[in-house]
Amino acid sequence: QIDYTGTEPSSPCNKCLNVSWDSTPPCTCIINFTLEHSFESNVFMYYGLSNFYQNHRRYVKSRDDSQLNGDNSSLLNPSKECEPYRTNEDKPIAPCGAIANSMFNDTLELYRIDNGTEISITLIKKGIAWWTDKNVKFRNPTGEGNNLAALFQGTTKPVNWRKAVYMLDEEPDNNGFINEDFIVWMRTAALPTFRKLYRLIERKNNLQPTLQAGKYFLNITYNYPVHSFDGRKRMILSTISWMGGKNPFLGIAYITVGSICFFLGVVLLIIHHKYGNRNTSADIPN
């Protein structure tokens, strides 16, 4: 787990701390780190945010599911739930709403250092979203031809975005509303500290680990401002075993609930032995 917020003066990303959404050119920084142990199986790269309340009621409602599902009428006439990110300069915003407007847009690149040579790690950007989201809940508008720019004609980009939704990717099956980075972001988190899947690193063969132990560095294009609300950003590398991924939350929750149940069981057992033998008969004595 690498924290690259940059609040510490010694951090390479400190120069980017007060970056704005539309900073030109974007700020870049490099974080060096070492993997003590190899990652043998497929590796999942996440980005993590702290003190970011995606569970706020008005934030969660600030979207138009019909628009995201490719409805042409909702594209040009978004839901009022998207206010104040419904229109901009008298043009409907696509995608509208506060969730889309605050989409995470840092770019993370991973490199391994092998005898002084920088080796780029291949990061896979497809397969990170839920199948139901990608194929059912999110769809591009329909019309004549496959030109997304023409299909989104008459709309404008969200206020904080650098480019329009039909320019998120060069590949047609990962562009527009079906862009997987966008889909992952639109599934809001339940807690203020969360992580979302960013990229996949697949194992190439069984003879070598996916990520060897050694020196690495993270090349960051720092676009996403978090300092204004005391937030933090981090990159997480994780892998899975036959038992699944590492998730301490469930273990802590089970131990906590189990301990409470055990304590209440002991208390009720004591109460039963102390007061359970009393005569409960309703007969009136002579």
Side-chain angles (χ1 to χ4, degrees):
Q1 179 170 292
I2 306 296
D3 189 307
Y4 67 94
T5 311
T7 52
E8 299 79 11
S10 59
S11 172
C13 293
N14 181 257
K15 61 182 180 180
C16 305
L17 189 60
N18 295 315
V19 70
S20 61
W21 293 93
D22 55 354
S23 295
T24 305
C27 187
T28 59
C29 56
I30 292 176
I31 301 285
N32 294 290
F33 64 95
T34 301
L35 287 182
E36 301 295 339
H37 305 283
S38 298
F39 283 65
E40 298 294 339
S41 60
N42 293 338
V43 178
F44 302 86
M45 175 185 281
Y46 299 85
Y47 61 85
L49 294 175
S50 298
N51 203 34
F52 193 109
Y53 288 82
Q54 274 199 316
N55 55 3
H56 191 282
R57 180 181 61 86
R58 291 187 62 189
Y59 182 89
V60 171
K61 292 174 61 179
S62 186
R63 60 188 292 164
D64 187 342
D65 288 320
S66 295
Q67 185 192 61
L68 298 174
N69 196 241
D71 183 74
N72 289 358
S73 60
S74 297
L75 182 68
L76 299 176
N77 185 26
S79 169
K80 293 182 179 180
E81 296 286 357
C82 289
E83 293 289 0
Y85 302 106
R86 182 173 177 263
T87 60
N88 186 27
E89 298 179 352
D90 296 327
K91 286 187 176 182
I93 295 176
C96 71
I99 307 176
N101 187 64
S102 60
M103 178 180 168
F104 181 83
N105 63 342
D106 282 357
T107 302
L108 308 176
E109 298 173 318
L110 186 62
Y111 294 85
R112 181 168 64 91
I113 302 175
D114 187 10
N115 296 325
T117 303
E118 299 176 1
I119 301 174
S120 177
I121 304 298
T122 302
L123 304 178
I124 300 173
K125 59 187 176 183
K126 293 184 179 180
I128 61 175
W130 290 21
W131 186 92
T132 51
D133 288 349
K134 175 77 173 180
N135 296 279
V136 179
K137 294 184 179 180
F138 290 80
R139 294 177 182 174
N140 283 324
T142 56
E144 296 182 2
N146 296 320
N147 187 350
L148 280 182
L151 295 176
F152 281 97
Q153 187 175 6
T155 66
T156 186
K157 66 179 181 64
V159 178
N160 289 338
W161 285 27
R162 293 176 177 267
K163 50 190 176 183
V165 66
Y166 53 83
M167 300 174 64
L168 291 178
D169 200 295
E170 296 179 356
E171 300 182 30
D173 62 344
N174 193 43
N175 200 5
F177 290 156
I178 59 173
N179 176 265
E180 297 204 25
D181 284 327
F182 171 68
I183 294 174
V184 168
W185 176 258
M186 292 300 290
R187 181 170 284 277
T188 54
L191 300 173
T193 298
F194 60 87
R195 66 181 184 180
K196 293 178 181 285
L197 187 57
Y198 180 69
R199 293 292 182 266
L200 302 174
I201 306 174
E202 289 187 345
R203 187 173 187 176
K204 296 181 180 179
N205 57 64
N206 295 326
L207 301 178
Q208 293 182 348
T210 308
L211 291 179
Q212 301 177 16
K215 294 182 179 180
Y216 291 79
F217 71 87
L218 186 67
N219 187 23
I220 303 158
T221 304
Y222 199 113
N223 297 316
Y224 202 72
V226 296
H227 183 57
S228 59
F229 56 88
D230 295 327
R232 300 197 71 86
K233 300 190 290 186
R234 63 195 187 280
M235 183 279 296
I236 303 117
L237 294 175
S238 179
T239 187
I240 60 174
S241 65
W242 64 273
M243 295 183 64
K246 181 180 179 182
N247 187 353
F249 174 78
L250 283 178
I252 296 172
Y254 289 159
I255 292 174
T256 302
V257 173
S259 300
I260 294 174
C261 292
F262 177 78
F263 173 76
L264 292 177
V266 172
V267 172
L268 293 175
L269 182 64
I270 294 174
I271 293 175
H272 173 73
H273 278 282
K274 188 173 183 179
Y275 302 103
N277 294 327
R278 290 186 174 183
N279 186 7
T280 58
S281 175
D283 296 338
I284 299 176
N286 295 327

